[in-house]
Amino acid sequence: AQTVTQSQPEMSVQEAETVTLSCTYDTSENNYYLFWYKQPPSRQMILVIRQEAYKQQNATENRFSVNFQKAAKSFSLKISDSQLGDTAMYFCAFMKRRGRDDKIIFGKGTRLHILP
Amino acid sequence: DSGVTQTPKHLITATGQRVTLRCSPRSGDLSVYWYQQSLDQGLQFLIQYYNGEERAKGNILERFSAQQFPDLHSELNLSSLELGDSALYFCASSAGLAGPETQYFGPGTRLLVL
């Protein structure tokens, strides 16, 4: 069974700083996706970034980038130039690729506070 | 806006009652997923439908059931409700077997069982 672990329950950083959220996962699969979802106070689940395991290049989306280390089963999220609107719960998530069982498995989340 | 709609946004009911949560997927998406977010269990997968058929099941209680209709909207039925069923229920959709696999989440239905 797959598991996703986020070791930082809560973090705080000053606005404009860079912050890195950690995530490790465990799987015997070779083809899969990894995601970071953001859940602001509105509770909406918003996709931040997606990484396909077969791609060596780390995904980036504007101020958000990942450090994907497949062998180490590590998938961290870096937020550059953090903004107050980045305050949210961040979930690391795993999904098998093109399988019958393509549910998303979520970590417990990291609550991120951006301080003015 | 993800394009996935869920109704109602909030639901308050009593123990022992039955409720129905509704989800409309993004236009063109064939797969619908239901997730439960509770304080103690985090975000957990309940069930998936693809083009009207059940495709995968998670830790869904026997008191819970779901279906996907020909127009692809889905309903999650929760019966004999208990206090512990209070949670945020999300629906997500994706293109399905042949399309992009990213799941897009609806705004959720917040259920409070008193």
Side-chain angles (χ1 to χ4, degrees):
Chain A
Q2 289 77 28
T3 59
V4 177
T5 303
Q6 293 180 250
S7 59
Q8 305 149 312
E10 197 158 1
M11 298 180 72
S12 296
V13 295
Q14 294 294 135
E15 191 178 7
E17 288 185 350
T18 293
V19 59
T20 299
L21 280 58
S22 302
C23 173
T24 58
Y25 60 96
D26 190 24
T27 184
S28 58
E29 300 289 329
N30 197 41
N31 288 322
Y32 52 88
Y33 293 101
L34 294 165
F35 306 93
W36 281 96
Y37 279 89
K38 168 185 177 181
Q39 189 177 41
S42 67
R43 308 297 297 274
Q44 173 78 48
M45 291 292 287
I46 302 166
L47 178 65
V48 174
I49 201 163
R50 180 180 97 157
Q51 175 78 44
E52 294 169 63
Y54 69 89
K55 289 187 177 178
Q56 291 187 334
Q57 187 172 6
N58 288 324
T60 62
E61 285 289 343
N62 301 314
R63 297 182 295 107
F64 299 87
S65 62
V66 297
N67 183 2
F68 173 48
Q69 302 288 330
K70 190 172 183 179
K73 295 180 182 172
S74 170
F75 183 61
S76 62
L77 174 70
K78 185 171 85 171
I79 306 174
S80 303
D81 186 26
S82 57
Q83 300 174 359
L84 296 178
D86 296 333
T87 291
M89 193 75 153
Y90 287 81
F91 293 96
C92 179
F94 169 99
M95 187 180 83
K96 290 184 198 177
R97 188 168 185 267
R98 291 278 179 249
R100 182 172 183 85
D101 180 12
D102 57 352
K103 64 179 179 288
I104 293 178
I105 298 168
F106 290 91
K108 295 291 187 187
T110 296
R111 188 173 299 280
L112 178 63
H113 302 275
I114 307 299
L115 307 173
Chain B
D1 185 356
S2 67
V4 179
T5 60
Q6 290 187 247
T7 56
K9 287 186 180 178
H10 303 275
L11 204 46
I12 302 174
T13 189
T15 54
Q17 295 298 304
R18 172 189 170 95
V19 297
T20 297
L21 314 184
R22 182 187 168 103
C23 167
S24 292
R26 295 189 320 155
S27 177
D29 282 358
L30 300 178
S31 276
V32 169
Y33 308 77
W34 287 96
Y35 293 86
Q36 178 194 58
Q37 185 177 29
S38 61
L39 281 175
D40 53 346
Q41 296 292 328
L43 266 159
Q44 289 204 316
F45 168 73
L46 294 177
I47 197 165
Q48 179 202 357
Y49 279 82
Y50 173 76
N51 204 19
E53 293 190 6
E54 182 184 304
R55 183 167 167 80
K57 242 179 180 177
N59 295 325
I60 187 167
L61 299 172
E62 285 192 13
R63 300 183 286 108
F64 296 1
S65 64
Q67 58 186 132
Q68 186 179 27
F69 295 86
D71 67 352
L72 300 177
H73 91 271
S74 178
E75 293 180 357
L76 178 67
N77 300 296
L78 316 176
S79 61
S80 303
L81 284 167
E82 301 175 0
L83 296 178
D85 297 329
S86 295
L88 185 54
Y89 292 85
F90 285 107
C91 168
S93 75
S94 72
L97 299 180
E101 295 177 88
T102 299
Q103 294 180 25
Y104 294 91
F105 282 73
T109 292
R110 201 168 298 196
L111 173 66
L112 180 60
V113 182
L114 300 175

